[in-house]
Amino acid sequence: MATKFLALACIRKESTYGDLSPRPRYPSMPKYPKGVSVRETNVEGSEAKAVFSVMGMTCSACAGSVEKAVKRLPGIREAVVDVLNNKAQVLFYPSFVNEETIRETIEDAGFEATLIQEGTSDRSTQVCRIRINGMTCTSCSSTVEQALQAIPGVQKAQVALATEEAEVHYDPNILSYNQILEAINDTGFEAILLSTGVDMSKIGLKIVGVRTQNSMRIIENSLQALPGVQSVDIDPEVNKISLSYKPDVTGPRNFINVIESTGTSGRFKATIFPEGGGRESHRQEEIKQYYRSFLWSLVFTVPVFLISMIFMYIPGIKHALDTKIVNMLSIGAILRWVLSTPVQFIIGRRFYTGSYKALRNGSPNMDVLIALGTNAAYFYSVYSVLRSATSPSFESADFFETSSMLISFILLGKYLEVLAKGKTSEAIAKLMDLAPGTAILLTLDDQGNVSSEEEIDSRLIQRNDVIKIIPGAKIASDGFVIWGQSHVNESMITGEARPVAKRKGDTVIGGTVNENGVLHIKATRVGSESALSQIVRLVESAQMAKAPVQKFADRISRYFVPLVIILSFSTWLAWFLAGKFHGYPGSWIPKSMDSFQLALQFGISVMVIACPCALGLATPTAVMVGTGVGASQGVLIKGGQALESAHKVNCIVFDKTGTLTIGKPLVVSTRLLKNLALRDFYELVAAAEVNSEHPLAKAIVEYAKKFREDEESPKWPEAQDFESITGHGVKAIVRNKEVIVGNKSLMLENNIPISIDAEEILAETEGMAQTGILVSIDREVTGVLAISDPLKPGAHEVISILKSMKVRSIMVTGDNWGTAHSIAREVGIETVIAEAKPEHKAEKVKELQAAGYIVAMVGDGINDSPALVVADVGMAIGAGTDIAIEAADIVLMKSNLEDVITAIDLSRKTFFRIRLNYIWALGYNLLGIPIAAGALFPGTGFRLPPWIAGAAMAASSVSVVVCSLLLKNYKRPKKLENLDIGGIMIE
């Protein structure tokens, strides 16, 4: 089962959508395949080919034994084994042998074989996501990352401390995800597989009524036989079946029907397996663990604190505690020892475990510092107590309260830190919560009428299902409207505040809210293919990706802990030797201790005040919050690299069509030269133009519909003798009137006089880079239409605001010079490059970079993709093409130009937080360590007890996370709030 599962594809770089149309045009995201077949056979006549991944071969002798074993089978025409790439290619005759038999033969020869897709080498990058439990600081994440990068076959590995997850890109022909999990476990951390790809849909089903393993096998075989099922994985302990399948072929309701029809009299029942094990549930469990540990530590630490610090000043209790049992051993010392021991070894066990794992990997972390500090205090105290028990004169002075209070404060700090870290990923949790729990499934008869409706779990929706959406309900799936009309609030996905009108044929996005009318929608993308799932994956990937500035913290973390250990030991040694050789006055030593104990306290304080965590959390927590805030504003930022580059941008290159302009022709003005009602005029014009396929004709018909808004699909008067004149216009007889719609030359050809007024209107229209269309009714020019690709609302204001932000704007377009300069003049752009091919756009970006600019490219089309890739930051307009969106670093989902400013401003605010975090984290360590080492003690007598040093260390991590969390209050620049970007005004 495992080998078959391994053959399934993970995230692939190649991407397509399903062939259903229409489909949502946004949110525009990296697209993924629907699913990849586990077998690829190219049959020529009766011959077939199969390619296997063969693991375990070490030399040519291994390859030879595999080849011989396969060639012994009947029906094998040829077998070639490549030991370097761990692959075997077999040509065979399917009537004699099949792929499964060949695979089993290779395994019988002693090697692990997996059937793979032919041609996988062309797109052999797969991705798996893994949760890693037990990481405490940057040193831990760096250790895991280095271990992963050292594995042959791993192309890229990212380990995020803030999310406690790893994203690994690997070659499935060389490596399996199980080997990746083992490598992480070998470094001493717990690895849990979250996903092995997104190119297939997955679902878990809980089976009720299964009593024997044989029953489970029967169910498994029944499911395996279903077309479109890619893998079936069984967990018999909880009666769970996990299935990976092709959503365009089958779906979860089919699985449930198969399971419930298997066996006798409906003995088996299947339901969706309860959700669990996700990031949020793990976070909640971690919070509970730290909370419980902290409470238990308080149970023991509070009495130790009272005995050490309070009761010693109460005469009666002090006398009882000072009562000697053996020699100088007192009852108080015994009580402190007994109470602090569970804190040190049971509650503090996590620090020993973490230290062992870290030291085993040669990368000491924060756990090592805590374990060394608390052990030094605890074991010195044990030595002191035992010596007092064996000596009639030695009076012990123990530090049991130091070790127990230190552990308690660190646990409190970790609890607060995990609590705060959980809030940094709230954006993902909110996105996931958008999906509704249930949906109303409609059954249609042969005539398309609704025959029945049923409420189902929304996870059971399959492709092509018809779903009913009532007013106020969330839309359960991506799809398109097949009946009804309403307004849909899409702000939760796109950030666009205004409800969007929806009628038959319009696309809808799962998770958005239907506001008024009832809609019937046909599901087109379900499960992992949905827009919501893709946004969640993009935000998760963005939060995984490290910003370049984080390399600074990673470099420091390698040397931080060893350096602190050396400083701590040096501090103890310096104070100890100074005391031994009377380097300072004896009056400096507190009455309750000697010079050795004073030196030990300084050494322990240095060890526990140092905080590598604060440095490690400075960047990722800010990036997590920043990308989450961006997603809620409709700005999808694909990781720390894009976020870091955007704040430096000082030059933006804009494409024209679809970026600065709407991207499709619209009627922007109508001038009538005769006394005629506008509705009647457009009825005649639309009747003539409705038969034409020309984009300008479609724009006229679309505009004419505005005068017939009372009808869903208006019917125009019949046009007779219709004639389309290529490059000029159309002619037709409508309601016994001759209607000619076209350019000036068409009128002249038909000997229709053009008045001076019409000539002036045409000249004025062309001067504004618009297309003038003349309309003649009964051989008289009756009106002039101006058609143009209008500017997006607020384009001029956005360019003006960018200038005030000291960002230069340039326009690059493939359009002609006249139109380009007219548009540039209108928006306020001074530098224009027209008639540019796609490669010229990329070259211009490179020229600007060579001149010292940090360049952002904003585009929407396929022709913008080269420039988007070359630019320091590529920004894709959300309604643009899939290829442009793939190439971009930032996706502007609302397609509003104002979001260019939002993206840059959010990046600047995020990096202000990152700098603030670094100043705090570095400043804390640079100031805290000398103070803990006793730098102020000679002059002021001030010293930092170890338990206070531990509390300060815990507080530093929390403060860094809280500083990042303040980004959640991000507001767009006030200039944008005051900018009233309304709809496009059409005369």
Side-chain angles (χ1 to χ4, degrees):
M1 188 60 60
T3 54
K4 187 167 184 181
F5 186 75
L6 284 174
L8 300 175
C10 294
I11 304 174
R12 306 214 183 232
K13 289 182 179 175
E14 192 177 68
S15 55
T16 58
Y17 268 103
D19 53 3
L20 285 166
S21 181
R23 60 181 175 80
R25 289 300 309 155
Y26 58 84
S28 300
M29 310 273 302
K31 309 301 189 299
Y32 304 97
K34 296 176 305 225
V36 180
S37 173
V38 294
R39 66 175 58 191
E40 172 77 12
T41 54
N42 301 323
V43 180
E44 293 178 14
S46 60
E47 184 181 294
K49 180 168 75 172
V51 180
F52 297 86
S53 168
V54 183
M55 305 305 296
M57 296 188 297
T58 55
C59 62
S60 56
C62 300
S65 62
V66 171
E67 200 170 300
K68 284 177 187 174
V70 172
K71 284 182 175 178
R72 286 195 197 105
L73 289 170
I76 299 296
R77 180 176 171 274
E78 185 58 72
V80 179
V81 180
D82 181 358
V83 69
L84 293 175
N85 294 311
N86 294 319
K87 289 171 85 172
Q89 182 175 291
V90 183
L91 297 175
F92 64 98
Y93 299 100
S95 54
F96 292 94
V97 68
N98 59 29
E99 295 98 328
E100 186 59 20
T101 306
I102 299 168
R103 191 190 64 76
E104 287 173 359
T105 301
I106 296 171
E107 294 206 330
D108 289 341
F111 303 94
E112 185 183 343
T114 307
L115 185 64
I116 60 172
Q117 184 179 14
E118 170 69 323
T120 335
S121 56
D122 295 331
R123 47 182 191 278
S124 57
T125 298
Q126 296 185 4
V127 179
C128 63
R129 295 178 67 85
I130 299 162
R131 187 168 68 238
I132 303 171
N133 295 337
M135 295 192 299
T136 56
C137 66
T138 322
S139 179
C140 301
S141 57
S142 298
T143 300
V144 177
E145 200 167 281
Q146 286 166 15
L148 289 171
Q149 287 168 348
I151 304 170
V154 169
Q155 296 159 350
K156 183 174 137 191
Q158 290 179 321
V159 179
L161 174 65
T163 59
E164 295 178 348
E165 287 180 14
E167 187 174 273
V168 185
H169 297 239
Y170 66 100
D171 185 343
N173 303 325
I174 299 172
L175 192 63
S176 73
Y177 66 81
N178 280 325
Q179 289 168 289
I180 295 170
L181 295 177
E182 285 171 20
I184 295 171
N185 288 327
D186 287 344
T187 60
F189 301 96
E190 183 190 4
I192 301 167
L193 186 70
L194 292 178
S195 68
T196 56
V198 293
D199 52 344
M200 58 186 132
S201 293
K202 296 179 181 178
I203 197 163
L205 299 174
K206 186 172 181 67
I207 315 296
V208 180
V210 175
R211 297 187 184 89
T212 64
Q213 286 188 354
N214 188 46
S215 298
M216 196 62 104
R217 272 197 299 273
I218 292 168
I219 292 171
E220 181 186 2
N221 293 335
S222 300
L223 292 169
Q224 287 275 25
L226 273 178
V229 171
Q230 295 184 300
S231 78
V232 181
D233 195 20
I234 292 177
D235 187 348
E237 289 183 14
V238 290
N239 286 343
K240 179 185 178 183
I241 288 187
S242 300
L243 297 107
S244 300
Y245 61 95
K246 294 181 181 179
D248 54 335
V249 178
T250 188
R253 290 203 311 282
N254 295 349
F255 307 146
I256 290 174
N257 292 337
V258 166
I259 292 165
E260 294 185 350
S261 61
T262 303
T264 54
S265 62
R267 192 181 65 176
F268 304 133
K269 297 289 179 190
T271 55
I272 301 276
F273 198 84
E275 290 292 332
R279 178 192 287 178
E280 190 53 35
S281 59
H282 165 66
R283 182 83 68 199
Q284 291 303 321
E285 184 55 36
E286 192 178 20
I287 289 168
K288 285 177 188 173
Q289 282 179 1
Y290 275 116
Y291 183 65
R292 284 195 297 265
S293 296
F294 173 64
L295 287 182
W296 274 110
S297 70
L298 281 186
V299 169
F300 295 99
T301 302
V302 169
V304 173
F305 173 77
L306 292 173
I307 293 167
S308 303
M309 308 285 186
I310 307 295
F311 293 162
M312 59 185 291
Y313 297 108
I314 302 173
I317 299 175
K318 182 181 186 306
H319 178 73
L321 292 173
D322 287 344
T323 304
K324 303 296 186 285
I325 301 172
V326 179
N327 287 330
M328 298 299 288
L329 178 63
S330 66
I331 290 174
I334 290 287
L335 285 174
R336 287 193 294 272
W337 187 6
V338 169
L339 288 167
S340 63
T341 300
V343 179
Q344 183 71 36
F345 297 108
I346 298 173
I347 297 164
R349 185 177 67 243
R350 67 176 69 241
F351 302 119
Y352 286 100
T353 308
S355 301
Y356 168 72
K357 291 173 182 175
L359 291 171
R360 192 179 71 180
N361 292 300
S363 57
N365 61 4
M366 187 198 75
D367 288 336
V368 173
L369 297 179
I370 295 167
L372 282 174
T374 56
N375 278 341
Y378 179 84
F379 284 109
Y380 174 78
S381 301
V382 170
Y383 158 77
S384 179
V385 167
L386 291 177
R387 188 175 169 191
S388 68
T390 56
S391 169
S393 58
F394 180 82
E395 193 167 335
S396 70
D398 59 72
F399 297 148
F400 285 122
E401 80 285 349
T402 294
S403 66
S404 55
M405 287 173 72
L406 194 51
I407 288 171
S408 296
F409 274 113
I410 288 164
L411 288 172
L412 173 62
K414 292 300 285 182
Y415 166 69
L416 295 173
E417 182 187 318
V418 173
L419 207 61
K421 272 164 63 179
K423 293 185 185 299
T424 61
S425 57
E426 273 182 358
I428 290 180
K430 284 179 181 175
L431 283 168
M432 287 176 166
D433 288 343
L434 290 178
T438 59
I440 301 171
L441 176 68
L442 300 180
T443 306
L444 306 181
D445 59 21
D446 295 339
Q447 284 75 43
N449 299 317
V450 177
S451 58
S452 67
E453 58 181 63
E454 172 193 2
E455 189 170 16
I456 62 168
D457 189 310
S458 62
R459 290 171 293 178
L460 294 177
I461 296 173
Q462 297 178 190
R463 190 174 290 178
N464 295 328
D465 280 347
V466 177
I467 308 296
K468 178 182 178 182
I469 315 294
I470 60 175
K474 288 181 180 177
I475 292 170
S477 166
D478 289 7
F480 61 92
V481 179
I482 60 171
W483 180 87
Q485 56 186 26
S486 180
H487 285 81
V488 174
N489 183 349
E490 297 181 341
S491 61
M492 59 288 299
I493 300 289
T494 65
E496 179 59 68
R498 286 177 298 183
V500 182
K502 300 290 180 183
R503 57 176 66 192
K504 187 175 178 179
D506 288 342
T507 55
V508 290
I509 309 169
T512 55
V513 178
N514 181 27
E515 297 219 326
N516 35 45
V518 176
L519 295 175
H520 292 180
I521 68 159
K522 191 167 194 172
T524 56
R525 293 191 292 165
V526 295
S528 60
E529 289 185 322
S530 71
L532 190 58
S533 296
Q534 291 179 20
I535 291 175
V536 169
R537 280 199 300 278
L538 190 144
V539 176
E540 283 181 336
S541 294
Q543 293 180 347
M544 286 289 304
K546 289 184 180 178
V549 72
Q550 197 172 335
K551 291 175 184 173
F552 169 68
D554 290 345
R555 278 196 298 270
I556 291 176
S557 70
R558 289 179 202 163
Y559 311 107
F560 189 88
V561 175
L563 183 65
V564 168
I565 293 170
I566 292 167
L567 285 172
S568 174
F569 179 77
S570 303
T571 299
W572 169 79
L573 189 63
W575 280 101
F576 174 68
L577 292 175
K580 189 84 172 170
F581 298 106
H582 308 292
Y584 57 82
S587 59
W588 285 13
I589 304 171
K591 292 179 183 178
S592 58
M593 58 179 71
D594 57 25
S595 61
F596 175 84
Q597 292 165 339
L598 180 66
L600 187 64
Q601 274 210 348
F602 281 129
I604 293 170
S605 292
V606 168
M607 196 169 289
V608 298
I609 200 169
C611 187
C613 291
L615 273 173
L617 292 169
T619 300
T621 52
V623 169
M624 281 180 75
V625 179
T627 50
V629 167
S632 68
Q633 299 268 350
V635 177
L636 292 180
I637 302 165
K638 298 182 185 176
Q641 173 80 57
L643 199 60
E644 179 166 346
S645 300
H647 90 282
K648 303 174 189 170
V649 166
N650 53 15
C651 178
I652 298 184
V653 177
F654 289 95
D655 173 48
K656 180 184 79 71
T657 308
T659 302
L660 288 171
T661 65
I662 296 296
K664 64 176 182 179
L666 294 173
V667 177
V668 291
S669 71
T670 308
R671 305 276 188 92
L672 294 183
L673 303 172
K674 302 289 179 186
N675 192 13
L676 185 68
L678 206 56
R679 179 185 170 110
D680 296 337
F681 171 78
Y682 267 105
E683 199 146 288
L684 296 173
V685 174
E689 290 281 26
V690 75
N691 299 300
S692 172
E693 287 297 312
H694 195 279
L696 296 184
K698 288 184 176 180
I700 292 168
V701 172
E702 200 61 37
Y703 184 73
K705 286 180 183 177
K706 294 180 185 298
F707 301 98
R708 302 274 289 273
E709 282 188 342
D710 50 326
E711 301 174 41
E712 190 174 318
S713 299
K715 289 184 179 178
W716 307 108
E718 186 181 350
Q720 297 172 332
D721 300 334
F722 173 80
E723 185 184 352
S724 176
I725 301 100
T726 306
H728 294 281
V730 298
K731 293 167 66 176
I733 304 295
V734 182
R735 289 181 177 163
N736 296 320
K737 295 177 186 285
E738 184 190 34
V739 179
I740 301 176
V741 184
N743 57 19
K744 186 176 177 181
S745 60
L746 182 63
M747 300 297 154
L748 296 174
E749 276 178 22
N750 285 274
N751 299 316
I752 296 171
I754 301 170
S755 65
I756 295 170
D757 287 346
E759 290 275 13
E760 286 176 354
I761 293 168
L762 273 180
E764 183 187 331
T765 300
E766 285 164 6
M768 295 167 66
Q770 296 171 351
T771 303
I773 304 289
L774 295 167
V775 178
S776 159
I777 298 174
D778 285 340
R779 309 193 68 76
E780 271 190 284
V781 174
T782 310
V784 182
L785 312 182
I787 296 181
S788 123
D789 181 6
L791 280 176
K792 283 192 173 170
H796 180 271
E797 291 87 344
V798 167
I799 300 301
S800 175
I801 292 170
L802 285 171
K803 277 183 185 173
S804 70
M805 294 168 69
K806 298 184 178 172
V807 178
R808 181 186 178 192
S809 297
I810 295 173
M811 188 175 83
V812 180
T813 178
D815 215 334
N816 63 68
W817 282 98
T819 305
H821 278 286
S822 174
I823 294 290
R825 190 168 58 249
E826 204 171 334
V827 295
I829 291 177
E830 294 167 6
T831 310
V832 183
I833 294 142
E835 298 176 9
K837 292 180 180 178
E839 59 271 23
H840 294 155
K841 292 183 181 182
E843 283 169 13
K844 183 60 187 174
V845 169
K846 287 179 183 175
E847 284 173 21
L848 290 165
Q849 288 170 327
Y853 286 103
I854 305 297
V855 183
M857 170 72 194
V858 185
D860 73 317
I862 292 170
N863 61 340
D864 299 322
S865 301
L868 287 168
V869 172
V870 169
D872 296 287
V873 181
M875 297 187 189
I877 294 294
T881 64
D882 300 345
I883 293 172
I885 287 134
E886 285 257 8
D889 302 302
I890 296 174
V891 179
L892 311 177
M893 292 170 63
K894 286 182 281 187
S895 299
N896 282 350
L897 284 175
E898 58 187 288
D899 286 338
V900 172
I901 296 168
T902 304
I904 293 171
D905 185 66
L906 177 60
S907 171
R908 290 178 178 180
K909 294 281 192 341
T910 302
F911 266 77
F912 171 74
R913 289 285 161 198
I914 289 173
R915 290 191 190 101
L916 210 59
N917 284 347
Y918 275 129
I919 289 167
W920 170 254
L922 282 171
Y924 163 83
N925 283 297
L926 290 173
L927 288 173
I929 289 174
I931 291 169
L936 301 178
F937 187 64
T940 64
F942 176 80
R943 62 188 173 86
L944 207 60
W947 62 272
I948 292 179
M953 183 269 280
S956 70
S957 296
V958 176
S959 60
V960 163
V961 179
V962 169
C963 182
S964 295
L965 278 174
L966 291 175
L967 261 177
K968 290 176 77 175
N969 301 322
Y970 170 80
K971 294 283 186 289
R972 297 193 316 160
K974 285 184 180 177
K975 292 175 184 175
L976 289 183
E977 297 301 331
N978 299 331
L979 186 66
D980 184 22
I981 296 185
I984 298 163
M985 298 304 294
I986 300 173
E987 295 177 26

